Amino acid sequence: MKAIKGNRVYTIDETQQAGYVSRGFDIVNDDGTVIQNGRGKTVPYDQYAAVVAERDALEAQVKKPPKKPKDEPEADK
């Protein structure tokens, strides 16, 4: 597993995990999945990730052309 903070990356074992978390490092497993977030962050990472996913979904909807209703009668001129 690795401890990551900014551009610093350290390979650690489970006994060192608590110390690095208390100093603000994120703990990542070998697959790249965040196991534990570092202490002292302003917004919990789970909330941040949810907001980013929602934003991306909304941006994708905005980029699509609007759908025209099929049953709408044409306006008289």
Side-chain angles (χ1 to χ4, degrees):
M1 77 178 54
K2 297 181 191 269
I4 300 174
K5 182 177 181 182
N7 63 350
R8 294 179 285 173
V9 179
Y10 300 107
T11 302
I12 62 169
D13 61 13
E14 293 174 4
T15 60
Q16 299 170 315
Q17 182 175 348
Y20 278 95
V21 169
S22 68
R23 289 186 281 172
F25 285 81
D26 293 334
I27 307 301
V28 180
N29 67 6
D30 295 330
D31 298 334
T33 306
V34 176
I35 297 172
Q36 192 172 6
N37 294 306
R39 193 175 130 231
K41 302 215 181 211
T42 352
V43 176
Y45 183 77
D46 296 337
Q47 289 179 357
Y48 170 77
V51 170
V52 169
E54 182 180 359
R55 182 203 62 196
D56 292 343
L58 291 172
E59 284 179 351
Q61 287 179 357
V62 170
K63 290 180 182 178
K64 291 181 184 177
K67 294 181 181 179
K68 294 182 181 178
K70 295 179 182 178
D71 297 337
E72 182 178 307
E74 293 187 26
D76 293 330
K77 293 183 180 181

